[in-house]
Amino acid sequence: MTDFERQLVDLYLDGVLPESEHALLLQRLETDPEALVYLASRTQLNVDLRRSFKRRKLQQTAVAGAAPSTVRQPRSVWLSWRPLAAAAAAVLMSLAWWLMPGSSSELGRITQMMNVETSGEGAGLTVGQRLQAGRVMLNRGAVDIRLSNGVTLLYEGPGELELLSPMRALLHSGQVVVRVPQNAIGFQMDAASARVVDLGTEFAMKAGPGLETDVQVFEGVVEASAARGGFASRIEAGRAARFTPAASVPKELTYSESRFLRKIPIEPGVPMPGKGGDDFRPARHAEVVIPSVDKAIVVDGDLSEWSAEGRFFSQRDAARSVEGRMRHDADAFYIAAHIKDPAPMRNSIDPWMDGELGWRGGGLQVRLSLDRAQGWPVEANSPSYYSMRKLTATPEQMARSANARLVTLTLWHHAPSATDCLHLAYGFDYAGGVVNPPGYTVAFKRDVDGKGYTIEARVPWSLLRVADEPPRAGDALAVCWHTHWSDPSGRLWRTHLVELRNPSEPLRIYDYERAATWGRAIYR
């Protein structure tokens, strides 16, 4: 680090660095790690500070009580400091990523695609493909990319997007919608005529003809500045602006909710042929809340420590019904159910020989999507979905069916051995199923009147294979409950009930065929 760079940083922090020198300072920060570290140490610039700053500004806006102007120019030296500070934070976090061992192996992954035709370095894109730093070029279509820090980029062609690090990307052409989680505040998206720094938001950018750059904010706030330098503009939710090379002040645009693609649509489901039928009853519930654990749960079949939050009920007939609740914490997923059953806990399906068929003798299946990148609804179909309808699955569709973050939990009590059982199957190809794995805890308890039973279970995230990234408060994922009843022998399946189902999907599609039929789970 040179004395000149140190002087630039000091003048900047004192609020007296001329505006014309801001671009030079940022350039030095990007090319000289020592200068960047010096700035960070002087300002204690880190993620906690950015979060604190965001909260303070939102509180100030709320206290003011006035509707924000479309594009606000700074009114003080502090306001002109913010965009460069956030940009420096993005550079600092990018630098940390580049220095991490093995960081060059994977910057992010493709989670969804639609009607994609690629060229150049982007040729051969597939769902699940790992991406390194570099350019993704589309002739047409859309690609949803999830970066390693949770930032998602829904990139729509024709265009060219360059991934630089988990905290920075460059849109050469095309359109992109960016969603930034709390841990990645400060993410920076550049274009030919604009630089956008996130302050906790969902925003869109279009790199258009004549080097024009349009910025639109759906949620939260961004700091946007002309690429050639100058003061930053604060653009808030419900606002849009256009940046051009010739102007230092952006032009107001009309906000349009439908202008950008914010989610890749799921292809419509194809129902089974026929007319209705007892197998395809409408569900009573389409959505459920899954709260975090607020009181220690002891897995013993006694649900007295469970609050009523998130409880749902459904009835097959006078003798058969199900009441359910779910919980989560940092370590595990919890299930509580009471099932009315005229022949309770008589299941005779051998878990060690036929674990994948445990449902036949009566019990509960809970289907979970733990894919935070997909959210809800989830696009994935089983191989049988295609074969039963005489459809040919594409390689992309087959890749989605093997998504291991789609998990089916089957719970039943094996009467001959008095064993409370759990079978786990991963993906819609149901590969790698395991039965009674070490670490799970399940308790079944028969009702005193012999007309039902209770299930209580704790399944660690490690068994669900998402210990690295379990669901967290604020997530909207997918879930479906499928309750089964058998004959008194506990051997022959008799009837069932499906709850928590997406009402927009055709009824004549089984939940075990298509994840888009699953209901919405709100984690709190």
Side-chain angles (χ1 to χ4, degrees):
M1 177 180 179
T2 66
D3 290 339
F4 175 66
E5 290 171 338
R6 185 175 290 104
Q7 183 181 18
L8 285 176
V9 172
D10 291 340
L11 291 173
Y12 168 66
L13 294 176
D14 291 338
V16 295
L17 182 68
E19 179 188 342
S20 60
E21 301 294 330
H22 282 196
L24 175 61
L25 173 56
L26 187 56
Q27 181 183 18
R28 294 299 183 100
L29 292 173
E30 292 175 340
T31 58
D32 188 342
E34 291 185 9
L36 187 58
V37 172
Y38 178 69
L39 172 63
S41 65
R42 286 287 312 276
T43 60
Q44 298 182 347
L45 194 59
N46 53 37
V47 174
D48 292 333
L49 177 58
R50 292 197 303 278
R51 289 179 178 174
S52 175
F53 169 71
K54 179 194 173 188
R55 288 194 296 268
R56 191 178 80 180
K57 293 308 295 179
L58 291 177
Q59 289 168 357
Q60 290 175 350
T61 301
V63 170
S69 60
T70 303
V71 179
R72 295 186 176 180
Q73 298 301 315
R75 296 187 294 270
S76 68
V77 172
W78 166 246
L79 287 176
S80 66
W81 185 90
R82 293 181 304 175
L84 185 55
V91 175
L92 179 59
M93 295 186 73
S94 299
L95 176 65
W97 177 80
W98 283 112
L99 294 178
M100 284 193 303
S103 63
S104 60
S105 62
E106 183 180 337
L107 193 156
R109 296 192 184 195
I110 295 176
T111 58
Q112 285 184 277
M113 294 171 52
M114 182 180 70
N115 301 331
V116 167
E117 180 182 286
T118 61
S119 62
E121 298 176 36
L125 296 178
T126 59
V127 173
Q129 180 177 333
R130 301 180 180 185
L131 299 176
Q132 300 179 2
R135 301 192 180 199
V136 180
M137 292 177 279
L138 298 181
N139 291 335
R140 70 180 184 196
V143 174
D144 208 346
I145 299 170
R146 181 180 176 86
L147 301 183
S148 58
N149 58 357
V151 172
T152 62
L153 310 173
L154 205 172
Y155 161 49
E156 187 177 0
E160 184 175 335
L161 175 68
E162 185 172 1
L163 304 178
L164 302 174
S165 80
M167 288 299 294
R168 192 176 181 194
L170 173 59
L171 184 65
H172 294 277
S173 57
Q175 299 184 167
V176 65
V177 172
V178 182
R179 298 180 187 88
V180 180
Q182 285 289 318
N183 63 287
I185 290 176
F187 177 85
Q188 181 174 315
M189 177 67 71
D190 294 338
S193 57
R195 170 178 291 131
V196 174
V197 177
D198 160 80
L199 297 178
T201 185
E202 178 187 359
F203 69 93
M205 177 184 282
K206 175 186 176 183
L211 303 182
E212 294 178 343
T213 303
D214 293 352
V215 178
Q216 177 167 296
V217 180
F218 296 104
E219 298 177 8
V221 184
V222 302
E223 293 282 6
S225 58
R228 69 189 187 110
F231 289 116
S233 302
R234 187 170 186 264
I235 306 178
E236 301 179 344
R239 306 291 177 174
R242 172 169 293 169
F243 293 80
T244 63
S248 59
V249 177
K251 174 185 177 182
E252 178 183 352
L253 294 179
T254 300
Y255 176 88
S256 174
E257 187 74 27
S258 60
R259 182 181 179 190
F260 296 91
L261 181 67
R262 299 175 66 183
K263 183 176 177 62
I264 292 180
I266 293 178
E267 61 182 12
V270 179
M272 294 285 288
K275 298 180 180 179
D278 201 42
D279 273 357
F280 302 102
R281 290 187 175 190
R284 293 183 61 182
H285 306 276
E287 183 175 292
V288 67
V289 171
I290 303 180
S292 59
V293 173
D294 57 357
K295 185 178 181 181
I297 293 176
V298 179
V299 180
D300 56 5
D302 179 359
L303 306 184
S304 59
E305 70 267 33
W306 289 68
S307 69
E309 187 177 9
R311 181 164 56 189
F312 62 93
F313 173 82
S314 190
Q315 185 175 31
R316 174 74 193 187
D317 53 45
R320 298 173 180 85
S321 64
V322 59
E323 179 185 286
R325 282 165 282 181
M326 291 167 281
R327 297 288 187 269
H328 72 101
D329 62 21
D331 301 313
F333 185 77
Y334 300 82
I335 297 169
H338 179 260
I339 297 173
K340 285 186 66 175
D341 188 337
M345 296 173 56
R346 298 186 187 181
N347 193 314
S348 63
I349 303 299
D350 190 322
W352 297 278
M353 300 298 293
D354 302 303
E356 76 281 4
L357 302 177
W359 54 272
R360 285 186 177 177
L364 173 67
Q365 288 186 300
V366 177
R367 307 189 196 278
L368 294 172
S369 171
L370 303 174
D371 190 337
R372 301 183 64 237
Q374 283 215 50
W376 182 89
V378 177
E379 185 171 12
N381 302 317
S382 71
S384 66
Y385 172 86
Y386 300 101
S387 60
M388 292 293 289
R389 293 159 178 79
K390 303 187 185 315
L391 301 173
T392 301
T394 66
E396 293 176 7
Q397 291 169 330
M398 292 307 296
R400 285 194 286 267
S401 74
N403 185 351
R405 291 180 183 258
L406 306 180
V407 187
T408 297
L409 299 82
T410 304
L411 299 154
W412 76 103
H413 176 81
H414 183 234
S417 65
T419 302
D420 297 333
C421 300
L422 168 68
H423 181 274
L424 297 172
Y426 306 92
F428 257 2
D429 54 359
Y430 300 104
V434 295
V435 63
N436 297 343
Y440 86 100
T441 310
V442 178
F444 281 69
K445 186 176 181 180
R446 193 188 311 269
D447 290 355
V448 175
D449 62 6
K451 296 181 180 180
Y453 60 98
T454 297
I455 305 174
E456 190 172 24
R458 178 187 185 274
V459 185
W461 294 123
S462 57
L463 291 182
L464 300 175
R465 301 181 181 177
V466 292
D468 58 328
E469 194 179 13
R472 61 191 65 170
D475 285 348
L477 303 178
V479 65
C480 181
W481 278 41
H482 196 152
T483 309
H484 299 271
W485 290 270
S486 75
D487 72 331
S489 73
R491 184 76 191 175
L492 300 177
W493 181 89
R494 173 161 287 179
T495 190
H496 69 149
L497 183 65
V498 176
E499 253 320 324
L500 301 174
R501 194 179 190 281
N502 182 357
S504 67
E505 283 286 308
L507 271 180
R508 293 187 61 81
I509 300 178
Y510 291 110
D511 58 296
Y512 58 80
E513 292 184 307
R514 181 169 167 82
T517 64
W518 301 354
R520 191 166 183 251
I522 308 298
Y523 286 78
R524 290 183 181 168

